[in-house]
Amino acid sequence: MKRPDLDRLLPEVMQRAAQPGQPLAAALDVMEALVTPVEDALAGVDAVLSPYRAPDAFLPWLAGWLDLDGLLRPGPLETRYAPGLSQLRLLIARTMPLNFMRGTARGLIGVLEAATGVSGFHVQENVTAGGEPRAFHLLVRAPPDSARYAELVRHLVELEKPVALTHEVVWPTPGGTS
C-alpha cells in the first residue's frame, strides 16, 4: 500500500499531523515499506498457481497437488518428466477437466494425449490384442510416436482405467499393425 493510500485511511486530524519530519509520517513510511512487498507478492500469487505461468521449479509441487507426482522421476528438473516441462504444464492444466471423464475411454485417451503430447490413442473394451473376446478387459492401442513414453503410458493406463478391468497396451509392430 502506497503512502497516499495509507494517509487516506487516517482520520482527518491525523492526516494533518502526518507531515514530513513528524513521527507519524516516519511511522507511515515504515508501514509502507513493510506492507508493499507483501501486497506485491499477493498480487502475483495467481502466476504461481497457474501451470502456464508458474516458475519451472514450482511445477513438481503443482503436480503433487493434483496427485501427478508419481509420474515424475528423480533427478534434475529438466528430466523429471519424460515428455518435458511444457507437456507437464499442459497435463497439470488439463487434469481437473479430465477428472470429470475419469473411468471412461474418452477420459483415458484425454489423459494419455495430455501427458504425452501424442494423439492417436484408441481404446477398445472386452477384446484382446489378438481379437479374442474377454469380458472386463481394456485394450489400449497406442500410436507409434508414443513408444518412447511406453513406461509413462503403461503407468497412466494402470492409474486411470477402472480398477476392476484387466488391460493391455500395444504399439504397432514395424511393417504391421498393432
Side-chain angles (χ1 to χ4, degrees):
M1 186 173 280
K2 300 297 179 200
R3 175 64 195 275
D5 298 324
L6 289 170
D7 287 346
R8 280 194 297 276
L9 295 175
L10 297 173
E12 189 175 327
V13 68
M14 293 184 86
Q15 287 180 22
R16 287 191 299 257
Q19 300 303 316
Q22 298 297 315
L24 182 56
L28 290 171
D29 290 341
V30 169
M31 186 177 208
E32 176 187 16
L34 291 173
V35 171
T36 300
V38 172
E39 286 183 332
D40 291 346
L42 288 174
V45 76
D46 64 313
V48 175
L49 299 176
S50 166
Y52 297 113
R53 295 171 47 205
D56 288 350
F58 203 64
L59 290 176
W61 185 85
L62 284 176
W65 205 23
L66 295 169
D67 201 23
L68 299 172
D69 50 344
L71 304 177
L72 304 180
R73 303 182 296 206
L77 180 62
E78 304 78 41
T79 63
R80 292 195 63 196
Y81 187 68
L85 294 180
S86 62
Q87 199 62 44
L88 180 58
R89 289 178 187 280
L90 178 66
L91 177 60
I92 290 168
R94 293 190 60 199
T95 292
M96 288 309 295
L98 286 168
N99 277 343
F100 290 108
M101 294 184 282
R102 195 161 195 192
T104 67
R106 189 170 151 216
L108 178 57
I109 290 169
V111 167
L112 291 170
E113 289 179 352
T116 63
V118 178
S119 60
F121 289 91
H122 296 284
V123 175
Q124 291 178 277
E125 298 177 27
N126 302 319
V127 66
T128 67
E132 300 89 29
R134 181 184 292 169
F136 306 109
H137 185 75
L138 203 62
L139 172 62
V140 177
R141 294 187 184 277
D145 291 347
S146 69
R148 63 183 172 210
Y149 306 126
E151 179 184 338
L152 176 64
V153 169
R154 286 188 183 101
H155 186 73
L156 281 167
V157 171
E158 181 67 35
L159 289 175
E160 296 295 321
K161 71 169 182 66
V163 70
L165 301 182
T166 58
H167 72 281
E168 58 188 313
V169 181
V170 295
W171 282 267
T173 56
T177 60
S178 56

